[in-house]
Amino acid sequence: MSKKIPKTSTPKHALNIGNQIFLYDVVLPEQKITVHWHEFYEFEIILSGTGEILFNNKIFPIKPGTTSLTTPVDFHELNITSPLHILCIQFSTESISKDILARFCSLEKNIFYCNRNQTERTVSFINLLKDNFYNEVPSDIYVSRLLETLLLSFEKDFTTSENKYEH
């Protein structure tokens, strides 16, 4: 019998901020999360903590500022060595425009390190997304455009071949 690789789903505590976009802010304890995949896209930034991620058979260290974009064809595993504070946005193919999604479908790399300014900008974007949820402004267009803007602000980082983390 072959070992089945689990897919993961959106955590119960995630905010559904509209247009099939979910947001969560979580601290994960030291643990190993086995190889898995998602049926959705996932943009994550690590605010604190350490560990390693096995991403499509390549190992990368995790530290504050580590940013990743996981697509439905990516397999990954986490080995958390100190609690990870993660901000994560999960979204479907219907959440953003096909033109922008196409820019991220065949990435040269899925993981890179954010500097302090990029991290602060990302947290600001995520706070704008949260504000939309808490203010109960039902605007899928607003949420989608904010997510697209966030992704496009990292396009150069995800599409250059240089990768500071690769072992």
Side-chain angles (χ1 to χ4, degrees), residues 63-81:
K63 63 181 184 177
T66 302
T67 304
S68 63
L69 180 63
T70 307
T71 72
V73 298
D74 296 315
F75 290 85
H76 52 288
E77 174 179 289
L78 292 170
N79 183 18
I80 303 169
T81 56

Side-chain angles (χ1 to χ4, degrees), residues 44-49 62-67 84-87 119:
E44 287 185 337
I45 186 164
I46 305 299
L47 299 181
S48 64
I62 298 173
K63 63 181 184 177
T66 302
T67 304
L84 288 184
H85 182 187
I86 302 172
L87 288 178
T119 301

Side-chain angles (χ1 to χ4, degrees), residues 8-145:
T8 61
S9 59
T10 302
K12 291 176 186 170
H13 60 276
L15 299 176
N16 179 349
I17 58 175
N19 204 20
Q20 299 181 38
I21 301 171
F22 295 85
L23 172 66
Y24 64 90
D25 180 344
V26 66
V27 176
L28 296 176
E30 292 178 24
Q31 63 181 301
K32 184 168 187 159
I33 300 173
T34 59
V35 174
H36 64 280
W37 60 278
H38 309 278
E39 291 182 340
F40 46 81
Y41 291 80
E42 188 171 69
F43 175 89
E44 287 185 337
I45 186 164
I46 305 299
L47 299 181
S48 64
T50 58
E52 285 185 334
I53 184 169
L54 175 65
F55 200 95
N56 294 332
N57 294 319
K58 293 181 182 175
I59 296 175
F60 302 89
I62 298 173
K63 63 181 184 177
T66 302
T67 304
S68 63
L69 180 63
T70 307
T71 72
V73 298
D74 296 315
F75 290 85
H76 52 288
E77 174 179 289
L78 292 170
N79 183 18
I80 303 169
T81 56
S82 71
L84 288 184
H85 182 187
I86 302 172
L87 288 178
C88 180
I89 302 169
Q90 295 176 340
F91 58 98
S92 71
T93 55
E94 294 80 22
S95 303
I96 63 174
S97 78
K98 292 185 186 334
D99 293 336
I100 291 174
L101 189 60
R103 294 172 176 231
F104 295 94
C105 281
S106 48
L107 300 173
E108 291 185 35
K109 64 179 182 180
N110 296 71
I111 296 175
F112 71 95
Y113 180 74
C114 277
N115 63 36
R116 185 180 197 158
N117 289 337
Q118 289 170 310
T119 301
E120 289 172 2
R121 181 187 69 218
T122 302
V123 170
S124 294
F125 270 108
I126 291 171
N127 285 334
L128 285 171
L129 289 166
K130 280 185 196 177
D131 288 348
N132 182 70
F133 175 81
Y134 289 120
N135 291 331
E136 298 179 24
V137 178
S139 177
D140 288 348
I141 294 171
Y142 174 76
V143 170
S144 291
R145 295 308 171 262

